[in-house]
Amino acid sequence: MAAPLRVLVTGAAGQIGYSLVLQIAKGDVFGKETPIVLVLLDIPPMAAVLEGVQFELTDCALANLTGVEAVTNEKDAFTNIDYAFLVGAMPRKEGMERKDLLAANVRIFKSQGKALADFAKPTTKVIVVGNPANTNAFICAKYAAGKIPSRNFSAMTRLDHNRASAQVALKSGVTVGNVKNVIIWGNHSSTQFPDVSHAKVTKSSGEVDAVSAVGDAEWLKTGFISLPSQTVQKRGAVIIEKRKLSSAMSAAKAACDHIHDWYKGTPEGVFVSMAVPSDGSYGIPEGLIFSFPVTIANGEWKIVQGLELNDFAQEKIAVTTKELLEERDEALAACGESKQ
């Protein structure tokens, strides 16, 4: 048997963490043939809850789960890990300004970036789920630099990608497995741009472009993007309103999809959405953690090049880029550093 992968989940006692750890443990991400050790991290007041999660995972009796470690300090959590799902973050509370939320999360992700540099393998791959995910990933990568390359850091926009694909499928009268190449551009926030102009839908007559399959160009520019009842941008807020809790099951599934594709690769002719450090593609400032369409092979992502962007798309992308630049600068200020 191969050496097990050490897989860290932070915020493991929380709602998303509870949904996430079983999906990882039973092989949905790395395959049922891949042995793994799950490392569960949460804050000390959650130690008893964390131990309960550990007991449940043991009770699942999963053949490929070779160990479960419940820890409450960064050294034990980050030592020699192969993959990190950074879920734990400070949630926005009533009356909290965005700058206050950014400042609180900068402290968390600055510390975790340093822990990655001090204790993790240089090959560790990281997905940031905790919001504001793009900017948290930027800060984490910054403080792990020198040990772990920036391209090993990503933020999750796969939930938005999955939501958009599902909406296109519903509107087209097909199952979601017949939709491919939807794109989420930009920030994991209400400024993100869900783009179907390059997407394809397979119908009984064959593969067609998604715009034709949906048959409602106006909806694709309005309801599809932002109306709460059918939304991609604001879907999370609608779920909170209805459940009185944030998205957990779907967020956990999306995190698993994200890392599964990073580990296994994307099929030929298929691209997915990942927030990754920009290399300047599509005019996005270099280094900004921005959601792009990517293909993945041999554990390495590559931004899809040469996609045509119409005026509507460029306008939407400009808005989300502006927000990310503002977030980045506020986060750096909270670190006591100037814009870089």
Side-chain angles (χ1 to χ4, degrees):
M1 182 180 285
L5 293 175
R6 288 183 62 82
V7 182
L8 169 65
V9 177
T10 73
Q15 209 197 167
I16 295 173
Y18 187 75
S19 294
L20 177 60
V21 291
L22 179 59
Q23 294 183 52
I24 299 170
K26 66 188 181 72
D28 291 359
V29 180
F30 302 103
K32 295 183 185 300
E33 73 290 348
T34 304
I36 62 169
V37 172
L38 265 177
V39 184
L40 314 178
L41 172 67
D42 218 305
I43 57 176
M46 298 301 289
V49 178
L50 202 59
E51 191 174 31
V53 177
Q54 180 186 30
F55 289 171
E56 281 207 78
L57 284 166
T58 300
D59 295 347
C60 287
L62 297 162
N64 63 307
L65 184 61
T66 63
V68 183
E69 301 173 12
V71 302
T72 56
N73 69 84
E74 289 179 341
K75 182 178 187 299
D76 290 341
F78 287 91
T79 296
N80 292 328
I81 56 168
D82 296 288
Y83 287 85
F85 291 75
L86 303 186
V87 180
M90 171 72 76
R92 190 166 188 165
K93 299 175 182 177
E94 189 175 351
M96 182 181 278
E97 297 292 334
R98 188 179 73 169
K99 65 183 179 186
D100 300 323
L101 181 66
L102 277 167
N105 280 297
V106 158
R107 288 192 292 274
I108 294 169
F109 286 89
K110 179 177 180 178
S111 179
Q112 291 185 352
K114 289 180 174 180
L116 282 159
D118 289 342
F119 308 118
K121 296 176 181 177
T123 53
T124 301
K125 291 179 178 173
V126 180
I127 175 176
V128 176
V129 178
N131 288 318
N134 296 53
T135 299
N136 288 343
F138 174 84
I139 292 298
C140 197
K142 175 180 174 60
Y143 286 94
K147 173 71 171 289
I148 301 174
S150 63
R151 68 175 290 109
N152 284 24
F153 287 82
S154 62
M156 187 176 81
T157 53
R158 187 60 173 265
L159 177 55
D160 312 300
H161 178 101
N162 288 352
R163 286 168 172 165
S165 297
Q167 291 295 322
V168 170
L170 286 169
K171 199 76 170 176
S172 302
V174 301
T175 57
V176 74
N178 290 303
V179 177
K180 69 178 184 180
N181 298 352
V182 167
I183 302 168
I184 303 297
W185 298 95
N187 201 3
H188 175 60
S189 76
S190 61
T191 68
Q192 66 180 246
F193 173 47
D195 179 11
V196 302
S197 61
H198 305 281
K200 302 294 182 184
V201 174
T202 301
K203 306 196 83 169
S204 58
S205 57
E207 188 175 272
V208 297
D209 68 272
V211 176
S212 299
V214 168
D216 189 343
E218 185 59 31
W219 176 80
L220 287 170
K221 288 186 175 182
T222 55
F224 171 67
I225 295 176
S226 61
L227 287 180
S229 63
Q230 298 171 306
T231 188
V232 176
Q233 281 184 343
K234 300 177 183 175
R235 185 72 156 195
V238 174
I239 289 169
I240 289 171
E241 179 186 343
K242 294 184 179 298
R243 288 190 73 229
K244 312 306 177 190
L245 293 165
S246 62
S247 306
M249 178 171 53
S250 57
K253 164 63 164 52
C256 289
D257 290 345
H258 178 119
I259 294 294
H260 172 274
D261 288 350
W262 205 352
Y263 182 73
K264 296 279 192 178
T266 49
E268 185 71 27
V270 173
F271 44 81
V272 295
S273 303
M274 284 177 68
V276 296
S278 173
D279 59 2
S281 293
Y282 299 99
I284 305 305
E286 193 168 341
L288 201 64
I289 304 287
F290 194 93
S291 185
F292 291 99
V294 302
T295 56
I296 306 166
N298 302 315
E300 296 292 334
W301 53 263
K302 183 179 180 182
I303 296 171
V304 176
Q305 298 295 324
L307 298 177
E308 186 176 340
L309 299 174
N310 61 23
D311 290 346
F312 179 78
Q314 291 183 40
E315 178 185 321
K316 292 293 185 182
I317 289 171
V319 170
T320 196
T321 303
K322 179 175 182 291
E323 180 183 60
L324 276 170
L325 288 169
E326 289 171 353
E327 280 189 11
R328 179 200 65 183
D329 293 349
E330 287 178 25
L332 287 171
C335 291
E337 301 189 25
S338 60
K339 180 175 68 176
Q340 295 185 0

